[in-house]
Structure formats: structure tokens, C-alpha cells
């Protein structure tokens, strides 16, 4: 894929959604960190349901630490792997209180040293909480990057580095969210909605999915509306 196509792709993403953000609900970097920790192998919807109950009661490292692992479990028991996640959250809160004054560190190394925090989680926090041009490559971004040919790679590390290299600088901070949302709602895993995709003419995926029976292609819909207005 050439630079001109990538530029147009992200220009369209920005025009359609000028201020993208995560679908996880948070109001502080700490709330985001905990939500991302809880989101592994879970949906954002499920995590939000749990944190809506948890955060009004405890939304600081010390408050959750005072709560203890057993009480914390009662708030997150609807989330997959909640036993292990509860232990990681408590351990993370302990480190934040003892080593970082109860604040979420902005250094990648310090973030990745927290229990349950890997490179992807660190990238989400750096990007979403602190506005850094970090690229958290999840399954959605990995799929979209390879399928469209924006930044193909055999593993998430390669895709991450290619995205940081190929995405025009003006779009780097928001690119992570655009790609996730595109993969979550349009360029879905089993049957991408190519017939309803704003970058279908730029995407280099060869096996485009046709529109379902009875549904007009967006380009056809636009032509019909113009004709009716004329």
C-alpha cells in the first residue's frame, strides 16, 4: 500500500470520527489502567458494567487496596478470569502506592513492571490517558492492518512497528482508536462489511464481501438519493 492511500484512509477516518476514544469508561488514568487490566479476554461492555459498580466505591489505588482482594472480587465476578485479575489489581495498587505515590506512571518501563500489564496495556494507557503516539495492537488492529494491507505483519510486534512507521504523523495519536473501532464494527473477523465500509475503495483486501440481499451498496444508495432529489 502506498503513502497516498494511507493518507486518504486516515483522512476519511478522521472526517467520520474526529475525536475517537476507547469504549472503556474512565475519568482518571488509574480508572483506565484498571479497566484495561480487567478487559483481557472480556468485552468492554462487561468491564463497564463492573466498573460502574466498583468506581463509586473505590477508584484510587489506596481505596482498592483497603478493600482487599475478596471484596474486590464481588465487584468484578461477572468478568472472565476475575480471580487472577483481582490479585493483579491488588498487587498493582500496592506498587502504585508504595513506589509511585498513588499515581499511574507515564514511563513505559514502570507501567510494564505492574502485575498483569504487558506492552499492549501500557500502550493503551500511554495513548489514551497521556496522549502519546503509542499503538496498542489487539486482535482487531492486527486483523485490519493485515487485511487492508495498511501495515501487514506476522505478529503484533511487527504490525505495531509498521503502523508507527507508516501512519502519517498527524494521525498517530488517534489511529489506534480508529483501527479498533473499524475492526470491531466494520472489518469484522468472519465476514467483513465491505459493502458498508468508508475505505472499501482503498482497502487492498481482494475478497470483498458483497452487500446482503435487499441492501443497497452505499455508493448505489447515494446515487439513488441524488436521482430522487433531481
Amino acid at each position: 500500500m502506498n503513502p497516498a492511500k494511507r493518507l486518504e484512509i486516515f483522512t476519511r477516518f478522521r472526517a467520520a470520527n474526529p475525536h475517537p476514544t476507547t469504549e472503556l469508561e474512565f475519568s482518571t488514568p488509574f480508572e483506565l489502567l484498571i479497566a484495561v487490566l480487567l478487559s483481557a479476554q472480556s468485552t468492554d461492555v462487561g468491564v463497564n458494567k463492573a466498573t460502574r459498580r466498583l468506581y463509586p466505591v473505590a477508584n484510587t489505588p489506596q481505596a482498592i487496596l483497603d478493600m482487599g482482594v475478596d471484596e474486590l472480587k464481588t465487584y468484578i465476578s461477572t468478568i472472565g478470569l476475575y480471580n487472577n485479575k483481582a490479585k493483579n489489581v491488588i498487587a498493582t495498587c500496592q506498587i502504585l502506592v508504595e513506589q509511585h505515590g498513588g499515581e499511574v506512571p507515564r514511563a513505559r518501563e514502570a507501567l510494564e513492571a505492574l502485575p498483569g500489564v504487558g506492552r499492549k496495556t501500557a500502550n493503551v494507557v500511554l495513548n489514551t490517558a497521556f496522549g502519546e503516539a503509542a499503538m496498542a495492537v489487539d486482535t482487531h488492529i492486527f486483523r485490519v492492518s493485515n487485511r487492508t494491507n495498511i501495515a501487514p505483519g506476522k505478529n503484533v510486534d511487527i504490525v505495531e512497528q509498521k503502523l508507527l512507521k507508516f501512519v502519517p504523523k498527524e494521525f498517530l495519536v488517534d489511529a489506534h482508536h480508529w483501527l479498533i473501532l473499524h475492526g470491531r464494527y466494520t472489518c469484522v473477523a468472519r465476514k467483513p462489511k465491505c459493502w458498508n465500509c468508508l475505505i472499501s475503495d482503498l482497502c487492498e483486501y481482494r475478497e470483498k464481501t458483497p452487500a446482503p440481499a435487499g441492501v443497497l451498496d452505499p455508493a448505489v444508495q447515494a446515487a439513488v438519493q441524488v436521482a430522487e432529489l433531481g
Side-chain angles (χ1 to χ4, degrees), residues 43-86:
T43 65
D44 288 359
V45 172
V47 172
N48 289 338
K49 286 180 180 179
T51 57
R52 283 173 198 158
R53 296 176 58 237
L54 173 64
Y55 289 159
V57 177
N59 69 339
T60 66
Q62 188 63 60
I64 290 181
L65 201 56
D66 292 342
M67 177 179 283
V69 68
D70 290 334
E71 187 176 352
L72 175 60
K73 287 180 183 179
T74 66
Y75 287 92
I76 66 171
S77 60
T78 55
I79 299 174
L81 308 175
Y82 74 93
N83 283 309
N84 192 54
K85 289 177 181 178

Side-chain angles (χ1 to χ4, degrees), residues 117-135:
V117 177
R119 184 174 182 84
K120 185 178 73 173
T121 297
N123 279 340
V124 172
V125 174
L126 289 171
N127 175 261
T128 307
F130 300 126
E132 296 189 16
M135 197 69 65

Side-chain angles (χ1 to χ4, degrees), residues 91-117:
T92 287
C93 289
Q94 185 82 45
I95 293 173
L96 291 178
V97 169
E98 293 179 352
Q99 299 181 21
H100 302 287
E103 300 294 328
V104 176
R106 294 189 64 160
R108 175 184 297 282
E109 296 76 13
L111 283 169
E112 292 186 14
L114 298 172
V117 177

Side-chain angles (χ1 to χ4, degrees), residues 147-177:
R147 182 184 277 164
T148 61
N149 212 32
I150 289 174
K154 293 182 179 180
N155 58 57
V156 294
D157 292 332
I158 292 174
V159 169
E160 178 184 340
Q161 293 308 312
K162 283 191 174 183
L163 284 169
L164 290 172
K165 178 181 179 181
F166 293 149
V167 174
K169 288 185 179 180
E170 65 181 293
F171 301 111
L172 269 177
V173 171
D174 292 323
H176 158 252
H177 297 299

Side-chain angles (χ1 to χ4, degrees), residues 169-200:
K169 288 185 179 180
E170 65 181 293
F171 301 111
L172 269 177
V173 171
D174 292 323
H176 158 252
H177 297 299
W178 286 321
L179 292 171
I180 282 181
L181 294 171
H182 191 63
R184 184 172 289 166
Y185 297 110
T186 303
C187 196
V188 294
R190 293 188 179 181
K191 200 171 184 180
K193 301 174 183 177
C194 304
W195 50 274
N196 194 33
C197 172
L198 79 165
I199 63 165
S200 60

